[in-house]
Amino acid sequence: MGKNKRSIYILVFSNFLICLGIGLVIPVTPFIKNEFHYTTSDMGLMTSLFAFAQFIASPIVGKLSDRVGRKPVIAIGLGVYMISEFIFAIATSLPIFNLSRIIGGISAAMVIPTSMALGADLTDLKNRAKVIGWLSAAFSGGLILGPGLGGMLANIDYKTPFWVAGVMGLISALFTQFFLKEDDKTREIEQEEQAREKQKGISSIRAILTAPMVMLFAMILVASFGLQGFESIYSIYVNQVFNFGLGTIALVLTLNGIISLILQVTAFNWIIVKIGEMNLISWCFLLSAVCVFWITQAHTKIEVIVATLIIFSAFDLLRPAITTLLTKSSESNQGLINGMNMSLTSIGNIIGPLMSGALMDWNTHYPYIVAAIILAISYLFTLVVKRFPIIPKKA
């Protein structure tokens, strides 16, 4: 990392602030629903619009960041996030709330994959897993601390968290604009590689659509359904099936947050060094598939809690592992690669909750049985992908 340490720390700090802002608003949504007498479907539409906008914008923004640089895209994205939160704070009608979520989804597409791409630009292969782990921990830390802080701010007024989140977006944008530096040498190398590809008549998209990359992208797409199929209805499922109260659910999520931070900050890079990205991805899919099915067969709350913590821990390692592998797959087109990763994940964020909700209307256990099957299929994908060299060898 060397000379890029300060930029990496600023990037981690900015991402922590933006995710803290996202986390702030989580406990406030029931107040919005009750204040304006919206239905659960209305609130679900807000969530889907955010993910849909993120899905559409991510590959476009990723390609743009490859051409114009990461820093301006991240800085503008943080400014757009600020605007989306301020609009939500002043909104009094459903169309304006939905507009805010669409703008928020665009901002997420600009910030999250571009940050991962810049983290890859600023590091060599040896340190990349460590930096991706730090960025993932920043995301997790903000989302973990945000809801508690948002609940306290909501005691002032239920829209206060949105104003505070907007201010955090502004602070992050200013930090990024004035203190963050890109690695000019990396940018020059990337532009040279893109120029060579253009001379050969090969587009950036075609350049990354090799056989192993296609399978890796397919694995991300299939996995996103399984992950969201589990996460989106977890609170409802354990409440209905195992009579978990809000206190128990909060305890489980808090424990998961602590374990997640420990794994991503201290253990992730060590695990990658010991077994490699693909082996870690395989184990995460296998453990999550087994434990999701275990929950459907569990008889005690302790079993459910243990299985849940294993599943969430696997997910928390899986996401940065896939991101790290993607960033190592090509030294150019980092923005496009991370943008496609975010878009494929967004598809799961859109359809996964809808799928689980519909299946739960038929049978309480159907969503988790299907999720376990999908995660098992993802594990089988990893066995196929292992046969192909994803990380290119240096000449």
Side-chain angles (χ1 to χ4, degrees):
M1 292 183 290
K3 63 179 182 179
N4 295 319
K5 261 188 179 179
R6 191 183 74 165
S7 293
I8 292 170
Y9 291 150
I10 292 170
L11 192 63
V12 170
F13 175 71
S14 295
N15 279 282
F16 173 76
L17 278 187
I18 199 76
C19 288
L20 184 66
I22 293 172
L24 284 176
V25 306
I26 291 175
V28 186
T29 50
F31 292 93
I32 300 292
K33 179 178 180 293
N34 295 333
E35 173 74 14
F36 295 97
H37 307 290
Y38 293 147
T39 65
T40 304
S41 296
D42 291 332
M43 303 306 293
L45 178 61
M46 287 186 199
T47 303
S48 293
L49 285 173
F50 183 98
F52 182 73
Q54 191 175 17
F55 160 64
I56 295 296
S58 288
I60 300 171
V61 171
K63 181 59 180 173
L64 179 65
S65 77
D66 284 333
R67 292 185 179 278
V68 305
R70 319 293 185 209
K71 177 179 172 178
V73 173
I74 296 173
I76 294 172
L78 292 168
V80 172
Y81 170 79
M82 173 194 70
I83 293 171
S84 74
E85 294 304 315
F86 286 162
I87 290 176
F88 206 94
I90 64 174
T92 56
S93 65
L94 187 60
I96 303 301
F97 280 122
N98 287 339
L99 174 63
S100 169
R101 294 300 83 194
I102 292 172
I103 296 174
I106 294 172
S107 72
M110 299 179 76
V111 173
I112 297 175
T114 312
S115 296
M116 291 295 183
L118 182 54
D121 289 344
L122 295 174
T123 54
D124 53 25
L125 293 180
K126 179 181 178 181
N127 292 296
R128 190 161 298 171
K130 182 188 298 184
V131 172
I132 296 298
W134 287 353
L135 289 172
S136 297
F139 294 138
S140 300
L143 293 174
I144 290 164
L145 297 176
L149 181 57
M152 290 187 288
L153 290 171
N155 290 325
I156 303 172
D157 181 84
Y158 73 88
K159 285 196 173 184
T160 301
F162 298 97
W163 291 110
V164 174
V167 171
M168 287 184 172
L170 175 61
I171 294 171
S172 299
L174 293 175
F175 259 89
T176 300
Q177 182 62 35
F178 292 110
F179 298 110
L180 186 66
K181 291 184 178 180
E182 293 190 73
D183 190 332
D184 293 333
K185 185 177 180 181
T186 302
R187 292 284 306 132
E188 291 171 3
I189 292 173
E190 184 165 298
Q191 289 171 354
E192 289 173 2
E193 290 188 10
Q194 289 175 351
R196 286 197 295 268
E197 289 173 0
K198 188 174 182 180
Q199 290 176 355
K200 293 177 182 178
I202 303 174
S203 69
S204 297
I205 294 179
R206 286 180 59 193
I208 66 172
L209 291 183
T210 60
M213 286 295 290
V214 168
M215 285 186 286
L216 188 57
F217 282 131
M219 184 177 68
I220 294 168
L221 177 60
V222 173
S224 65
F225 289 108
L227 300 183
Q228 281 301 309
F230 176 80
E231 292 179 329
S232 63
I233 61 164
Y234 176 76
S235 297
I236 299 173
Y237 181 87
V238 295
N239 176 258
Q240 289 186 7
V241 179
F242 298 101
N243 296 315
F244 276 27
L246 289 176
T248 305
I249 295 173
L251 174 63
V252 172
L253 295 179
T254 301
L255 287 173
N256 167 67
I258 295 171
I259 295 171
S260 171
L261 285 175
I262 294 172
L263 287 175
Q264 291 176 342
V265 173
T266 65
F268 178 68
N269 187 62
W270 180 83
I271 296 172
I272 292 297
V273 171
K274 289 294 182 181
I275 66 174
E277 291 88 357
M278 276 310 308
N279 285 326
L280 177 57
I281 292 168
S282 291
W283 277 106
C284 288
F285 278 133
L286 181 60
L287 286 173
S288 59
V290 170
C291 289
V292 169
F293 183 74
W294 179 17
I295 288 179
T296 67
Q297 307 300 311
H299 299 289
T300 66
K301 290 184 178 181
I302 295 297
E303 288 181 79
V304 177
I305 292 173
V306 172
T308 298
L309 292 176
I310 294 174
I311 293 165
F312 278 130
S313 295
F315 290 172
D316 291 334
L317 290 173
L318 177 64
R319 292 185 179 101
I322 292 177
T323 301
T324 303
L325 188 60
L326 282 170
T327 62
K328 289 181 177 181
S329 64
S330 173
E331 287 304 307
S332 62
N333 300 311
Q334 289 290 320
L336 178 59
I337 289 171
N338 280 280
M340 291 185 69
N341 178 16
M342 185 59 64
S343 282
L344 293 170
T345 302
S346 295
I347 294 177
N349 294 341
I350 297 167
I351 303 177
L354 300 177
M355 176 191 72
S356 292
L359 289 171
M360 203 165 186
D361 288 337
W362 290 348
N363 183 285
T364 306
H365 296 297
Y366 279 180
Y368 279 7
I369 292 174
V370 171
I373 293 172
I374 292 175
L375 291 168
I377 292 172
S378 299
Y379 166 70
L380 296 177
F381 262 118
T382 66
L383 300 182
V384 177
V385 174
K386 280 182 181 180
R387 296 176 177 270
F388 296 87
I390 294 178
I391 302 175
K393 296 181 179 179
K394 292 184 179 181

